[in-house]
Amino acid sequence: MHEFAITERLVETALRTAAESAGPDARVRRVRMVAGALHALVEDNMQMAYAVLTRGTAAEGSRLEIVRRPVIAACGGCGWSGEITPPFFVCPRCEHVGVEVTGGKELFLEEVETADEH
Amino acid sequence: MNIKVYQDLMGANEEWAARTRVLLKEKGLAMVNLIGAPGCGKTAVLEVMARRKDGPRFAVLEGDVETTRDAERLARLGLTASQLLTGGACHLEAKLVHYALRDLPLDELDLVVVENVGNMVCPAEFDIGEHAKVAVLSVTEGEDKPLKYPLLFREAKAVLLTKTDLLPHLSFDLATCLKNLQSVNAAAPVFQMSAAREEGFGPWQVWLNEARAEARSP
Ligand SMILES: Nc1nc2c(ncn2[C@@H]2O[C@H](COP(=O)(O)OP(=O)(O)O)[C@@H](O)[C@H]2O)c(=O)[nH]1
Ligand SMILES: [Mg+2]
Ligand SMILES: [Zn+2]
């Protein structure tokens, strides 16, 4: 359940961002995070952790969007670059096994939407 | 109101990992992070290393969810071993490791070995400032493990294939396992070893000595 540790940081950062940008009374409506496919995150665990961790905060009841990004690799053998499917880190063109991973490790908070004030 | 953020979620952990790297550099120490399933033989490997004379001088940081049994096992062999209790968490994070590291007698050491919490998923996600993650896989676990846990095997700079004394009793297909490891990570050397028979430790100790030499180079 490392999802809990990651979600803790997500919620903390989202709340801080909302308060700094939209004022101390701002309520969070939606949070979007980006997670590369190399991170073994179970989405249900993330959602569950999010619901628990936002309880009693300005983000209670808000929606968590998780955007997955594919693993991208570049082949040092033939110059091919593109999407690969773990667990096979092999060049689909020349079958070279030493491809370099250039995308799929990202893990960040991308956007926070706050509710408009009335 | 939509606020664009782009805030890395590993940032705080990374800061502690960076402090650890600075400390290790200052002391000319190497640090490796052993990651594998519960019971794959991590502590047994450390016990054999403690008895051998050809390896680096090392201390151990034992990650565990709650008991101090592994650290006690190692202390009995005369090793300096601190137990890091995660209190339920399935992995070690950089801050806890940094505090424990600072309390070790660093000037008397060449190497610090971290035995992470027995788990093949979560510890692979967290940088603790180590020079190398080392994946530990026992032959009793099946040859497809590298394919089931690609992040760990991808991140690892070396792989220990343990309990090889059991091979005659298993239908474990060694060639397939090595091929799977190769397809996930072609660069990591695989050290086949048996702690029970104290076999295969020479090349692993050489690799550790090299890691140490690298840590000392400017
Ligand atoms: N046959 C055999 N058993 C081993 C070997 N290494 C460890 N074991 C056994 O595997 C079990 C778990 O070992 P341990 O080192 O505690 O695993 P850890 O949880 O990864 O630290 C123990 O019962 C050990 O006796 C080995 O090389 N050969
Ligand atoms: Mg152990
Ligand atoms: Zn290629």
Side-chain angles (χ1 to χ4, degrees):
Chain A
M1 271 295 274
H2 57 296
E3 285 87 351
F4 202 85
I6 290 167
T7 309
E8 238 171 352
R9 265 158 228 155
L10 176 81
V11 171
E12 213 178 84
T13 317
L15 288 172
R16 186 160 22 86
T17 303
E20 281 169 8
S21 309
D25 300 326
R27 287 204 62 84
V28 174
R29 185 184 280 168
R30 183 179 54 87
V31 168
R32 182 196 283 166
M33 69 173 283
V34 174
L38 274 174
H39 292 284
L41 298 178
V42 179
E43 294 212 14
D44 280 353
N45 291 351
M46 295 287 300
Q47 294 291 354
M48 202 162 63
Y50 188 79
V52 171
L53 289 164
T54 50
R55 204 169 286 160
T57 74
E60 179 161 2
S62 64
R63 187 154 54 91
L64 170 63
E65 286 175 10
I66 303 168
V67 180
R68 299 312 302 255
R69 292 259 177 89
V71 179
I72 308 292
C75 176
C78 72
W80 176 88
S81 168
E83 198 173 318
I84 57 164
T85 315
F88 298 101
F89 295 84
V90 177
C91 174
R93 191 155 81 189
C94 73
E95 298 191 348
H96 180 59
V97 288
V99 296
E100 190 197 339
V101 171
T102 56
K105 276 195 175 181
E106 20 330 64
L107 188 67
F108 59 92
L109 167 62
E110 186 183 58
E111 194 174 83
V112 178
E113 186 193 332
T114 54
D116 291 325
E117 313 226 358
H118 293 289
Chain B
M1 181 167 170
N2 268 339
I3 311 154
K4 288 282 181 192
V5 194
Y6 303 108
Q7 173 69 56
D8 186 4
L9 294 174
M10 288 292 187
N13 192 68
E14 270 306 314
E15 276 167 33
W16 286 104
R19 283 188 211 191
T20 288
R21 275 188 280 269
V22 168
L23 179 58
L24 292 170
K25 179 98 215 163
E26 193 183 299
K27 300 285 181 187
L29 270 175
M31 184 164 100
V32 298
N33 180 5
L34 300 187
I35 303 176
C40 68
K42 298 178 292 298
T43 308
V45 165
L46 298 173
E47 286 172 325
V48 173
M49 285 170 61
R51 282 195 288 270
R52 292 176 65 105
K53 299 283 169 268
D54 58 341
R57 297 169 302 168
F58 71 105
V60 177
L61 300 180
E62 274 289 341
D64 240 311
V65 178
E66 39 201 324
T67 76
T68 57
R69 295 184 49 142
D70 277 0
E72 285 160 19
R73 254 167 85 182
L74 296 172
R76 254 177 263 137
L77 296 170
L79 265 186
T80 303
S82 316
Q83 191 85 44
L84 313 189
L85 298 181
T86 65
C90 48
H91 58 272
L92 288 173
E93 290 191 26
K95 186 176 178 180
L96 184 62
V97 171
H98 186 80
Y99 279 110
L101 183 68
R102 278 198 321 207
D103 289 340
L104 289 175
L106 299 179
D107 293 324
E108 294 156 30
L109 299 171
D110 303 320
L111 170 75
V112 175
V113 183
V114 179
E115 179 180 338
N116 217 309
V117 181
N119 184 314
M120 299 182 88
V121 180
C122 312
E125 295 276 349
F126 294 86
D127 179 6
I128 55 171
E130 73 280 75
H131 291 94
K133 288 189 171 68
V134 174
V136 186
L137 172 66
S138 66
V139 296
T140 57
E141 294 171 64
E143 48 285 279
D144 55 353
K145 271 271 172 93
L147 304 183
K148 288 183 178 156
Y149 301 92
L151 180 69
L152 168 58
F153 290 94
R154 183 73 205 170
E155 294 281 308
K157 292 222 171 68
V159 178
L160 306 185
L161 187 60
T162 60
K163 309 194 190 181
T164 52
D165 57 288
L166 297 176
L167 280 172
H169 312 287
L170 303 167
S171 58
F172 184 84
D173 183 348
L174 183 60
T176 303
C177 182
L178 294 175
K179 192 170 123 276
N180 290 342
L181 284 168
Q182 169 91 1
S183 77
V184 174
N185 186 341
V190 180
F191 299 107
Q192 299 180 34
M193 54 175 60
S194 162
R197 297 210 182 127
E198 302 202 9
E199 280 169 6
F201 279 73
W204 163 237
Q205 303 274 55
V206 169
W207 188 87
L208 288 173
N209 282 327
E210 282 167 7
R212 200 291 169 119
E214 219 167 287
R216 294 199 74 175
S217 69

